[in-house]
Amino acid sequence: MDPTGDTASLKRKREQKDEALQAQKKHRRKSKPQENGVSQEPIGTPRNAAPRQTDGDTELLDASSQPTTILSRERLAAWKVSKPMGGRMLDIDPVFSMDERHLIIPYNTSIQVYSTEDSLLVRRIALPVANADDTTDLVSMHIVSAVLSKSNPDYIWVACSDGRIWHLDWTSGAGAETPFTVDAKKVLDVAVDELEIGGKTEDVLFVLKRLTSSSAQVVVYNRKALEAKAGKLVHTYDESPQALRSVVGGRLIVAAAKESLHVGLLKTKKAASLDDLTYRFHSFDVPDIVTCLDIRATTRTTKKGGLEIQSVDVALGCARGAIYVYHDLLSKLLGEGSGAPKGGLIQPRKYHWHRRAVHSVKWSQDGNYLISGGYETALVLWQIDTGRQDFLPHLSATIENIVVSPRGSSYAVHLDDNSTMILSTAEMKPTMYVSGIQSLVLGDRPSKESLVRRVWRSVDEIATPLVATVNPQSPSQMFLCVGNGQQASLGCGSSSTPLLQVFDISTFHGVTKHAIARTNPTDANITSEGVPIVEPTATKLAFSRDGKWLASVDEWQPPTRDTDAFLTGSKTPAEVSRDRREIYLKFWEVGAEDQPFQLVTRINDAHHTSHTEPIFDLASDPTSSRFATIGNDGMVRFWTPRFRKRDGLAATGPDGQPLRSWSCSRVISLPIHEQQDEAAEALKNAPRSGAITFSEDGSILFAAFGPPSGALVVAIDTETGAFRDVVSGMFKGEVRAMKSLSSSLIMLSEDLVVYDIVSDELLFSYSLKETSQAAKRLTQLAVNYESRSIALVAPVPSRNQDKMKRGVRSELVVFNIDEDEPQLVKAFPQLITSVCAAPSSSGFIVTDSAAQIWSVTEGAEQAPLLRPLADLGVDDNVVNAEVSEEPEDEEGSDEEMQDVDMDVDMEDGDDTHAVVVAPQRLAEIFNAAPAFAMPPIEDIFYQVAGLFSTKPVNALI
């Protein structure tokens, strides 16, 4: 917030003092347009104020009066933003601990440690990957590698693309504040192995650095070299770099270029220093573009006790679906001789089943099998000798990474719907499952599918907000409209969201997914021309008051390339595509958590004229099971349930419960413009927008509808359908959102306007700063009825913001309906895609473009998010250590046992009395807040213990 009271995205509107009273009255239907008191330009002198920074938020200190300054400070301090939870799992192999009790998963903003026994989050290590003050950093910086330390398995090496390398103790979280830095234009990959240098065995890092778009170099570092920022260059090649691997204590390294492999053999037997390490490299061409690789080396012990490489087998996954296996590669390379820098093409053995790029390939522990995965959502097990295939089909999304556990007893499989599971090799059944928010996230680096030129382009922006809501009867469960993973969501230039994910923010696990629109999860999902089939997109979502009904709206229209057969007359492909658009309004019955939603009614063309019209908004009655919609046809329709009848009798289901269906109970036509003149006639052909909201008591439905800057706000009696009032001049530009809070209407367009409908008074208004149309679409509004607060999120204006790509930031501003000054102004390093009011709580839940969830709470209210076990003071390492700890003296003497019994008897004497705890006292503790807003478990324990604990009677005397 600057000295004028403006924020990064908002500009305060101020009226001159002599016109303030006139500007409060707004323009109703009986008034003239020129009497509209809404100021379009800020006028008047700004207040004399100075900004002050507190905890990353900016508060406005009014110099005019000291009490106002204190109140402003207290108001801003009353709201707080939690640490983010979740994130997007990166396309990097997860890491098993050596005892296989933990799985370490790299995220886009953190490293998270999970227990493999119960899938609980043990520790979240936040990494300052990007600087929030620099937009370019957000685009270029990302984690590229995470490898377990060879010398100390309690540590993990994590590399960032800008050259920072963290040495993290994943058992405690230490090391995130002090990264090493290497000089590199861009780091592409890092491999870690253990080498003996100067008589000391230590970790050695092989860093693949990019020089240009088609050249790279391999540089070796140990800890001393990292501190000195000076490594040893061992290889440079002029081909597009892809990946880097090392095996057998760094004796063999393999650098994959786009269509070639570079294999380096360690020549130095004993190295006194890092500079003594030298490698002899051989290179050869491969048949296709490399997307992934895995190396299996067999060794034997020499007579002197050292290790010697006996054979090396390399498996390559390629961009066109083939897997190439090079058996005993080392002998073939050495047979070519060392004189030629390039050994030509070495013939591999080919395995081909995948239709598109192989995303991951791994050797089994015994070397008899290959495990691969890709876009087909099937885990493929290849028998090397026979080429026979076994499948684990119908996984939930594209397979991104596969890791074989150290003992070979399980596989860790990372899917691109932001989930990871562990499968037992014996039964191929999941023993652990971790799932995050599956919303659309723009990746840090190109997908493996993009290595081959396609006839379609992938999505490179977030064009629409994330459709999300919270069940009022289960406040800890968020419902989000998502796609079949990132690959399925990004096809053909537009995102599709046909699935509804149920996500529990208190445990931070995905509960289930439901298909609420037409899907193609297991089919080829591609046309004969090679273009992905576009799935529908869910655009609206709302729960009924009791949480038993869910209404959804989904849209689909054929791409213009598929409309040639329907072109008649002078129609254009765009018009034909619009005419064949499908828009469905669906009503679902919400059952128990373990039961899927049941589709009760589907309404085709809920709003239509000569063709299907889009539905602008969907609202739920806060007092009954009733919904309302508004469409481009200028109609408001009320939808209510009724009992289904069969042959004149009430129809019942298998459980004997009466069946219901939904139908339109009332249709109300809205005025397009208050004036009936030539200008109004011209506006009828202009694009329209609209929004609706119920009053808190459900007696009035407010509907905003009309052309840009000409929308009318109509107050409709929900019982009779009569117009109670009509107000104009409230919207500048398109209608973005409208909410009702007490007697006030909160309206969002290019302005944020808070207007008291009863007193006909403008309470306050802000103007959004000039920005692009794409940024305006991501501006959102939410209202919390418990705290009477308003949350507005908007992208921070910047240059070249025509598309919401990576690097765009957002700002959150929280207002109270009774005060015109912001209570919280918070800048987020990522784009906010969704903001929801938390039911039965005073705060908000924010989701960003990095698939992270933030909690915005008021006062001392606890954040509704899961906390890692380490933050709660509970670590499974400590628990297991206590369990396994054996007593020092297993046999106690009888006299000692008698003494203990005497002590117990003395404590149970007349000095104490039994405690009787009324159930109301326990209810006060456990029903104080919803489950997600409860205080920490430690505080609850002490509160309950305080009820049942008692003091001796003599202590009270």
Side-chain angles (χ1 to χ4, degrees), residues 906-929:
M906 291 177 61
E907 292 178 0
D908 292 340
D910 296 334
D911 290 341
T912 60
H913 58 87
V915 178
V916 178
V917 178
Q920 295 87 339
R921 301 292 302 278
L922 291 173
E924 291 175 358
I925 297 175
F926 291 102
N927 298 336

PDB file of all heavy atoms in Angstrom, residues 906-929:
ATOM      1  N   MET A 906      -0.452 -45.274  48.441  1.00  0.00           N
ATOM      2  CA  MET A 906      -0.492 -44.017  49.185  1.00  0.00           C
ATOM      3  C   MET A 906      -1.146 -42.923  48.361  1.00  0.00           C
ATOM      4  O   MET A 906      -1.909 -42.109  48.864  1.00  0.00           O
ATOM      5  CB  MET A 906       0.924 -43.597  49.585  1.00  0.00           C
ATOM      6  CG  MET A 906       1.562 -44.505  50.629  1.00  0.00           C
ATOM      7  SD  MET A 906       3.246 -44.019  51.003  1.00  0.00           S
ATOM      8  CE  MET A 906       2.991 -42.356  51.640  1.00  0.00           C
ATOM      9  N   GLU A 907      -0.890 -42.923  47.044  1.00  0.00           N
ATOM     10  CA  GLU A 907      -1.495 -41.902  46.206  1.00  0.00           C
ATOM     11  C   GLU A 907      -2.985 -42.102  46.070  1.00  0.00           C
ATOM     12  O   GLU A 907      -3.729 -41.158  45.830  1.00  0.00           O
ATOM     13  CB  GLU A 907      -0.831 -41.926  44.823  1.00  0.00           C
ATOM     14  CG  GLU A 907       0.620 -41.470  44.856  1.00  0.00           C
ATOM     15  CD  GLU A 907       1.259 -41.563  43.490  1.00  0.00           C
ATOM     16  OE1 GLU A 907       0.545 -41.983  42.557  1.00  0.00           O
ATOM     17  OE2 GLU A 907       2.446 -41.240  43.372  1.00  0.00           O
ATOM     18  N   ASP A 908      -3.438 -43.355  46.197  1.00  0.00           N
ATOM     19  CA  ASP A 908      -4.853 -43.632  46.061  1.00  0.00           C
ATOM     20  C   ASP A 908      -5.589 -43.523  47.387  1.00  0.00           C
ATOM     21  O   ASP A 908      -6.690 -44.025  47.554  1.00  0.00           O
ATOM     22  CB  ASP A 908      -5.059 -45.052  45.491  1.00  0.00           C
ATOM     23  CG  ASP A 908      -4.588 -45.133  44.063  1.00  0.00           C
ATOM     24  OD1 ASP A 908      -4.492 -44.056  43.452  1.00  0.00           O
ATOM     25  OD2 ASP A 908      -4.296 -46.248  43.584  1.00  0.00           O
ATOM     26  N   GLY A 909      -4.997 -42.899  48.365  1.00  0.00           N
ATOM     27  CA  GLY A 909      -5.618 -42.776  49.670  1.00  0.00           C
ATOM     28  C   GLY A 909      -6.708 -41.736  49.700  1.00  0.00           C
ATOM     29  O   GLY A 909      -7.262 -41.302  48.694  1.00  0.00           O
ATOM     30  N   ASP A 910      -7.010 -41.276  50.912  1.00  0.00           N
ATOM     31  CA  ASP A 910      -8.127 -40.351  51.108  1.00  0.00           C
ATOM     32  C   ASP A 910      -7.802 -38.936  50.685  1.00  0.00           C
ATOM     33  O   ASP A 910      -8.683 -38.076  50.680  1.00  0.00           O
ATOM     34  CB  ASP A 910      -8.547 -40.358  52.591  1.00  0.00           C
ATOM     35  CG  ASP A 910      -9.079 -41.715  53.023  1.00  0.00           C
ATOM     36  OD1 ASP A 910      -9.569 -42.440  52.118  1.00  0.00           O
ATOM     37  OD2 ASP A 910      -8.971 -42.058  54.217  1.00  0.00           O
ATOM     38  N   ASP A 911      -6.509 -38.653  50.378  1.00  0.00           N
ATOM     39  CA  ASP A 911      -6.151 -37.284  50.028  1.00  0.00           C
ATOM     40  C   ASP A 911      -6.623 -36.891  48.640  1.00  0.00           C
ATOM     41  O   ASP A 911      -6.545 -35.733  48.260  1.00  0.00           O
ATOM     42  CB  ASP A 911      -4.628 -37.104  50.099  1.00  0.00           C
ATOM     43  CG  ASP A 911      -4.152 -37.153  51.542  1.00  0.00           C
ATOM     44  OD1 ASP A 911      -5.010 -36.965  52.434  1.00  0.00           O
ATOM     45  OD2 ASP A 911      -2.946 -37.395  51.746  1.00  0.00           O
ATOM     46  N   THR A 912      -7.021 -37.831  47.814  1.00  0.00           N
ATOM     47  CA  THR A 912      -7.508 -37.527  46.475  1.00  0.00           C
ATOM     48  C   THR A 912      -8.946 -37.984  46.359  1.00  0.00           C
ATOM     49  O   THR A 912      -9.425 -38.798  47.151  1.00  0.00           O
ATOM     50  CB  THR A 912      -6.671 -38.244  45.410  1.00  0.00           C
ATOM     51  OG1 THR A 912      -6.746 -39.642  45.626  1.00  0.00           O
ATOM     52  CG2 THR A 912      -5.214 -37.788  45.485  1.00  0.00           C
ATOM     53  N   HIS A 913      -9.622 -37.464  45.348  1.00  0.00           N
ATOM     54  CA  HIS A 913     -11.017 -37.822  45.114  1.00  0.00           C
ATOM     55  C   HIS A 913     -11.218 -38.046  43.630  1.00  0.00           C
ATOM     56  O   HIS A 913     -10.482 -37.508  42.796  1.00  0.00           O
ATOM     57  CB  HIS A 913     -11.968 -36.734  45.623  1.00  0.00           C
ATOM     58  CG  HIS A 913     -11.719 -35.389  44.992  1.00  0.00           C
ATOM     59  ND1 HIS A 913     -12.290 -35.020  43.819  1.00  0.00           N
ATOM     60  CD2 HIS A 913     -10.929 -34.351  45.399  1.00  0.00           C
ATOM     61  CE1 HIS A 913     -11.898 -33.798  43.503  1.00  0.00           C
ATOM     62  NE2 HIS A 913     -11.068 -33.374  44.444  1.00  0.00           N
ATOM     63  N   ALA A 914     -12.202 -38.840  43.283  1.00  0.00           N
ATOM     64  CA  ALA A 914     -12.489 -39.133  41.876  1.00  0.00           C
ATOM     65  C   ALA A 914     -13.031 -37.897  41.168  1.00  0.00           C
ATOM     66  O   ALA A 914     -13.739 -37.086  41.755  1.00  0.00           O
ATOM     67  CB  ALA A 914     -13.499 -40.274  41.778  1.00  0.00           C
ATOM     68  N   VAL A 915     -12.677 -37.793  39.900  1.00  0.00           N
ATOM     69  CA  VAL A 915     -13.085 -36.635  39.113  1.00  0.00           C
ATOM     70  C   VAL A 915     -14.315 -36.994  38.289  1.00  0.00           C
ATOM     71  O   VAL A 915     -14.349 -38.035  37.634  1.00  0.00           O
ATOM     72  CB  VAL A 915     -11.943 -36.187  38.173  1.00  0.00           C
ATOM     73  CG1 VAL A 915     -12.387 -35.006  37.325  1.00  0.00           C
ATOM     74  CG2 VAL A 915     -10.720 -35.825  38.986  1.00  0.00           C
ATOM     75  N   VAL A 916     -15.307 -36.141  38.344  1.00  0.00           N
ATOM     76  CA  VAL A 916     -16.505 -36.295  37.521  1.00  0.00           C
ATOM     77  C   VAL A 916     -16.522 -35.138  36.538  1.00  0.00           C
ATOM     78  O   VAL A 916     -16.610 -33.975  36.938  1.00  0.00           O
ATOM     79  CB  VAL A 916     -17.782 -36.320  38.370  1.00  0.00           C
ATOM     80  CG1 VAL A 916     -18.998 -36.437  37.478  1.00  0.00           C
ATOM     81  CG2 VAL A 916     -17.732 -37.462  39.374  1.00  0.00           C
ATOM     82  N   VAL A 917     -16.408 -35.462  35.244  1.00  0.00           N
ATOM     83  CA  VAL A 917     -16.357 -34.433  34.195  1.00  0.00           C
ATOM     84  C   VAL A 917     -17.686 -34.443  33.451  1.00  0.00           C
ATOM     85  O   VAL A 917     -18.104 -35.479  32.922  1.00  0.00           O
ATOM     86  CB  VAL A 917     -15.195 -34.686  33.218  1.00  0.00           C
ATOM     87  CG1 VAL A 917     -15.200 -33.640  32.117  1.00  0.00           C
ATOM     88  CG2 VAL A 917     -13.874 -34.669  33.969  1.00  0.00           C
ATOM     89  N   ALA A 918     -18.336 -33.312  33.441  1.00  0.00           N
ATOM     90  CA  ALA A 918     -19.612 -33.210  32.734  1.00  0.00           C
ATOM     91  C   ALA A 918     -19.363 -33.268  31.229  1.00  0.00           C
ATOM     92  O   ALA A 918     -18.365 -32.732  30.727  1.00  0.00           O
ATOM     93  CB  ALA A 918     -20.317 -31.904  33.097  1.00  0.00           C
ATOM     94  N   PRO A 919     -20.253 -33.920  30.473  1.00  0.00           N
ATOM     95  CA  PRO A 919     -20.064 -33.982  29.006  1.00  0.00           C
ATOM     96  C   PRO A 919     -20.004 -32.611  28.353  1.00  0.00           C
ATOM     97  O   PRO A 919     -19.381 -32.435  27.319  1.00  0.00           O
ATOM     98  CB  PRO A 919     -21.286 -34.786  28.540  1.00  0.00           C
ATOM     99  CG  PRO A 919     -21.739 -35.544  29.760  1.00  0.00           C
ATOM    100  CD  PRO A 919     -21.427 -34.694  30.928  1.00  0.00           C
ATOM    101  N   GLN A 920     -20.679 -31.624  28.994  1.00  0.00           N
ATOM    102  CA  GLN A 920     -20.657 -30.292  28.396  1.00  0.00           C
ATOM    103  C   GLN A 920     -19.255 -29.703  28.361  1.00  0.00           C
ATOM    104  O   GLN A 920     -18.906 -28.951  27.460  1.00  0.00           O
ATOM    105  CB  GLN A 920     -21.589 -29.348  29.180  1.00  0.00           C
ATOM    106  CG  GLN A 920     -23.061 -29.740  29.096  1.00  0.00           C
ATOM    107  CD  GLN A 920     -23.446 -30.735  30.170  1.00  0.00           C
ATOM    108  OE1 GLN A 920     -22.578 -31.413  30.715  1.00  0.00           O
ATOM    109  NE2 GLN A 920     -24.731 -30.827  30.463  1.00  0.00           N
ATOM    110  N   ARG A 921     -18.430 -30.084  29.401  1.00  0.00           N
ATOM    111  CA  ARG A 921     -17.075 -29.548  29.433  1.00  0.00           C
ATOM    112  C   ARG A 921     -16.237 -30.083  28.284  1.00  0.00           C
ATOM    113  O   ARG A 921     -15.435 -29.358  27.679  1.00  0.00           O
ATOM    114  CB  ARG A 921     -16.408 -29.905  30.773  1.00  0.00           C
ATOM    115  CG  ARG A 921     -17.158 -29.382  31.988  1.00  0.00           C
ATOM    116  CD  ARG A 921     -17.100 -27.852  32.060  1.00  0.00           C
ATOM    117  NE  ARG A 921     -15.744 -27.359  32.106  1.00  0.00           N
ATOM    118  CZ  ARG A 921     -15.012 -27.307  33.229  1.00  0.00           C
ATOM    119  NH1 ARG A 921     -15.526 -27.724  34.373  1.00  0.00           N
ATOM    120  NH2 ARG A 921     -13.783 -26.832  33.194  1.00  0.00           N
ATOM    121  N   LEU A 922     -16.408 -31.371  27.964  1.00  0.00           N
ATOM    122  CA  LEU A 922     -15.699 -31.942  26.814  1.00  0.00           C
ATOM    123  C   LEU A 922     -16.208 -31.358  25.510  1.00  0.00           C
ATOM    124  O   LEU A 922     -15.447 -31.118  24.576  1.00  0.00           O
ATOM    125  CB  LEU A 922     -15.852 -33.464  26.809  1.00  0.00           C
ATOM    126  CG  LEU A 922     -15.132 -34.215  27.927  1.00  0.00           C
ATOM    127  CD1 LEU A 922     -15.510 -35.688  27.890  1.00  0.00           C
ATOM    128  CD2 LEU A 922     -13.629 -34.059  27.806  1.00  0.00           C
ATOM    129  N   ALA A 923     -17.521 -31.124  25.418  1.00  0.00           N
ATOM    130  CA  ALA A 923     -18.095 -30.548  24.199  1.00  0.00           C
ATOM    131  C   ALA A 923     -17.557 -29.153  23.959  1.00  0.00           C
ATOM    132  O   ALA A 923     -17.349 -28.736  22.815  1.00  0.00           O
ATOM    133  CB  ALA A 923     -19.620 -30.534  24.301  1.00  0.00           C
ATOM    134  N   GLU A 924     -17.309 -28.402  25.036  1.00  0.00           N
ATOM    135  CA  GLU A 924     -16.755 -27.061  24.866  1.00  0.00           C
ATOM    136  C   GLU A 924     -15.366 -27.099  24.230  1.00  0.00           C
ATOM    137  O   GLU A 924     -14.975 -26.183  23.523  1.00  0.00           O
ATOM    138  CB  GLU A 924     -16.680 -26.370  26.230  1.00  0.00           C
ATOM    139  CG  GLU A 924     -18.052 -26.020  26.818  1.00  0.00           C
ATOM    140  CD  GLU A 924     -17.929 -25.441  28.221  1.00  0.00           C
ATOM    141  OE1 GLU A 924     -16.771 -25.362  28.712  1.00  0.00           O
ATOM    142  OE2 GLU A 924     -18.962 -25.081  28.802  1.00  0.00           O
ATOM    143  N   ILE A 925     -14.625 -28.190  24.492  1.00  0.00           N
ATOM    144  CA  ILE A 925     -13.273 -28.304  23.928  1.00  0.00           C
ATOM    145  C   ILE A 925     -13.315 -28.782  22.481  1.00  0.00           C
ATOM    146  O   ILE A 925     -12.702 -28.185  21.586  1.00  0.00           O
ATOM    147  CB  ILE A 925     -12.415 -29.261  24.788  1.00  0.00           C
ATOM    148  CG1 ILE A 925     -12.246 -28.682  26.193  1.00  0.00           C
ATOM    149  CG2 ILE A 925     -11.062 -29.507  24.132  1.00  0.00           C
ATOM    150  CD1 ILE A 925     -11.515 -29.608  27.140  1.00  0.00           C
ATOM    151  N   PHE A 926     -14.071 -29.854  22.214  1.00  0.00           N
ATOM    152  CA  PHE A 926     -14.031 -30.483  20.896  1.00  0.00           C
ATOM    153  C   PHE A 926     -14.962 -29.820  19.887  1.00  0.00           C
ATOM    154  O   PHE A 926     -14.787 -29.992  18.686  1.00  0.00           O
ATOM    155  CB  PHE A 926     -14.378 -31.971  21.013  1.00  0.00           C
ATOM    156  CG  PHE A 926     -13.325 -32.784  21.707  1.00  0.00           C
ATOM    157  CD1 PHE A 926     -13.474 -33.170  23.019  1.00  0.00           C
ATOM    158  CD2 PHE A 926     -12.164 -33.128  21.050  1.00  0.00           C
ATOM    159  CE1 PHE A 926     -12.499 -33.902  23.666  1.00  0.00           C
ATOM    160  CE2 PHE A 926     -11.182 -33.859  21.685  1.00  0.00           C
ATOM    161  CZ  PHE A 926     -11.352 -34.247  22.993  1.00  0.00           C
ATOM    162  N   ASN A 927     -15.941 -29.069  20.330  1.00  0.00           N
ATOM    163  CA  ASN A 927     -16.864 -28.393  19.413  1.00  0.00           C
ATOM    164  C   ASN A 927     -16.607 -26.905  19.342  1.00  0.00           C
ATOM    165  O   ASN A 927     -17.457 -26.141  18.899  1.00  0.00           O
ATOM    166  CB  ASN A 927     -18.317 -28.644  19.841  1.00  0.00           C
ATOM    167  CG  ASN A 927     -18.699 -30.103  19.793  1.00  0.00           C
ATOM    168  OD1 ASN A 927     -18.091 -30.867  19.063  1.00  0.00           O
ATOM    169  ND2 ASN A 927     -19.698 -30.494  20.560  1.00  0.00           N
ATOM    170  N   ALA A 928     -15.434 -26.483  19.771  1.00  0.00           N
ATOM    171  CA  ALA A 928     -15.141 -25.053  19.765  1.00  0.00           C
ATOM    172  C   ALA A 928     -14.967 -24.503  18.361  1.00  0.00           C
ATOM    173  O   ALA A 928     -15.188 -23.328  18.116  1.00  0.00           O
ATOM    174  CB  ALA A 928     -13.872 -24.784  20.590  1.00  0.00           C
ATOM    175  N   ALA A 929     -14.602 -25.347  17.415  1.00  0.00           N
ATOM    176  CA  ALA A 929     -14.345 -24.901  16.041  1.00  0.00           C
ATOM    177  C   ALA A 929     -14.479 -26.104  15.132  1.00  0.00           C
ATOM    178  O   ALA A 929     -14.483 -27.250  15.595  1.00  0.00           O
ATOM    179  CB  ALA A 929     -12.949 -24.271  15.925  1.00  0.00           C
TER     180      ALA A 929
END
